Amino acid sequence: MIPFTYTRASSADEAASMAIRTGHKLLGGGTNLVDLMRKNVELPSCLVDVTALSDSIKETQEGGVMIGAAARNSAVAAHPLVRTRYPMLSRAILAGASAQIRNMATVAGNLMQRTRCIYFNDVAGSRCNKRSPGSGCDAVGGFNRYHAIIGAAPACIATHPSDMCVALAALDARIHVYNKNATRIIPIVDFHGFPADRPDLETVLEAGDVITSIEIPVSPFAARSAYRKVRDRASYAFALVSVAAGVTMRERTIDDIRVAFGGIAPKPWRAFRVEMALRGGPATQEAFDDAVEAELARAVPLAGNAFKIGLTKRTLSAVLTELTGDAR
């Protein structure tokens, strides 16, 4: 770990002024960033503590929820508004990491967390385009059990590790971002990028941008929702495949549906083709199978992760069967 300085921003404006400086990194709970600093993956010259930003969790005028950037993951998962209106989000957060880490981690930090690819973390011995653009990707021909089967590129096949972001993608969340020049709102499905051209650029944030809050709109389907995570061990493990889904039913027909996958792509993967195939149709096993087949038609599995195609199909089927079972 190289020497660095530490300062604390008292407002979004002050944080934006500091964030635009070369070598400055914003620090929330530090559960990912500090770990990467220990491994010399991240080498900031200054850490800017932004935990003075809002940590409030409150209802919006429209009936949604606004979550401050500095809100701790555990506080979000336990909040009555989240637990009652957005149960998939609460379950997704509780599926991640450990209680101690959730008590430290912030929602903005969760949005910004980086991949857990072993080659990305191996500074001394591995090539990684995400860490060092143009150096190569050792995961392609190496151990790739945990890597992407869809949305990846020859330059990078790493997956995004967040559980929370998968649920937020299904919930159409919006990220509020402050900058000296403007304030803008970014749909979460557009917040994280694909690795085709620049694997090292993981979000659309620009120099001086500061996440101030996450807005979750009113979601009629969220009350009948679920989050399921399949992993190699029962706790403190990242997803092989995860599914966040919510539905509204009209008799035996799926009236509306939202689905997002984790563990299979470089970003939380909103399954628009699944939704299109199932919306307005019957809640049957055949329909579920056909829908996920359409979604994964573009999958490019590797030797170590081809099993994820079947696992994704089975996991989605189990979740949708659970959510629609009493209406069939």
Side-chain angles (χ1 to χ4, degrees), residues 160-171:
H160 191 271
S162 173
D163 292 287
M164 182 192 81
C165 289
V166 179
L168 290 177
L171 291 167

Side-chain angles (χ1 to χ4, degrees), residues 147-152 264-265 269 273 292-302 305-310 312-313:
H147 291 71
I149 60 172
I150 195 167
I264 66 169
W269 187 267
R273 293 190 179 192
V292 75
E293 287 279 358
E295 189 70 50
L296 296 180
R298 296 166 289 171
V300 183
L302 297 168
N305 64 11
F307 72 92
K308 286 190 176 186
I309 291 180
T312 301
K313 294 176 181 178

Side-chain angles (χ1 to χ4, degrees), residues 27 36 147 315:
L27 176 73
L36 293 176
H147 291 71
T315 306

Side-chain angles (χ1 to χ4, degrees), residues 22-278:
T22 302
H24 285 50
K25 283 279 189 178
L26 302 184
L27 176 73
T31 57
N32 184 212
L33 176 58
V34 173
D35 187 43
L36 293 176
M37 290 171 63
R38 292 193 187 103
K39 298 173 182 176
N40 290 322
V41 176
E42 294 277 10
L43 303 170
S45 58
C46 179
L47 293 181
V48 181
D49 189 328
V50 291
T51 53
L53 297 178
S54 173
D55 63 355
S56 65
I57 304 169
K58 57 187 179 183
E59 184 176 16
T60 64
Q61 290 184 344
E62 296 78 18
V65 173
M66 188 75 74
I67 303 170
R72 306 291 177 173
N73 283 9
S74 55
V76 176
H79 197 280
L81 280 175
V82 176
R83 292 177 61 190
T84 56
R85 298 186 188 180
Y86 309 97
M88 78 160 78
L89 177 57
S90 182
R91 292 169 189 168
I93 292 173
L94 293 174
S98 64
Q100 293 89 340
I101 289 178
R102 293 194 297 269
N103 287 340
M104 284 292 296
T106 64
V107 293
N110 194 304
L111 286 168
M112 296 298 296
Q113 68 176 300
R114 308 195 70 185
T115 185
R116 266 47 175 202
C117 172
I118 58 173
Y119 301 102
F120 171 72
N121 283 280
D122 181 19
V123 173
S126 300
R127 297 175 302 162
C128 174
N129 288 318
K130 189 178 287 293
R131 191 183 64 242
S132 180
S135 63
C137 176
D138 280 345
V140 172
F143 180 74
N144 45 49
R145 175 176 174 80
Y146 297 99
H147 291 71
I149 60 172
I150 195 167
C156 180
I157 59 170
T159 55
H160 191 271
S162 173
D163 292 287
M164 182 192 81
C165 289
V166 179
L168 290 177
L171 291 167
D172 295 308
R174 300 188 284 259
I175 315 304
H176 291 237
V177 176
Y178 174 82
N179 192 295
K180 288 286 187 177
N181 299 318
T183 299
R184 66 190 192 278
I185 300 174
I186 306 170
I188 191 169
V189 293
D190 298 326
F191 183 80
H192 298 98
F194 291 104
D197 299 320
R198 289 288 304 273
D200 56 314
L201 299 181
E202 297 170 343
T203 74
V204 298
L205 292 185
E206 302 169 357
D209 280 348
V210 178
I211 298 170
T212 57
S213 58
I214 300 170
E215 179 185 359
I216 308 175
V218 176
S219 303
F221 55 84
R224 188 197 290 257
S225 68
Y227 182 79
R228 183 171 296 198
K229 178 179 181 178
V230 182
R231 45 192 164 177
D232 279 333
R233 57 182 187 270
S235 64
Y236 205 65
F238 296 97
L240 293 169
V241 170
S242 64
V243 174
V247 299
T248 57
M249 301 293 295
R250 183 175 299 170
E251 296 181 352
R252 298 187 178 184
T253 299
I254 296 174
D255 182 48
D256 201 1
I257 182 169
R258 298 292 187 276
V259 176
F261 293 120
I264 66 169
K267 59 186 286 182
W269 187 267
R270 179 68 178 270
F272 290 111
R273 293 190 179 192
V274 167
E275 295 171 6
M276 185 180 302
L278 293 177

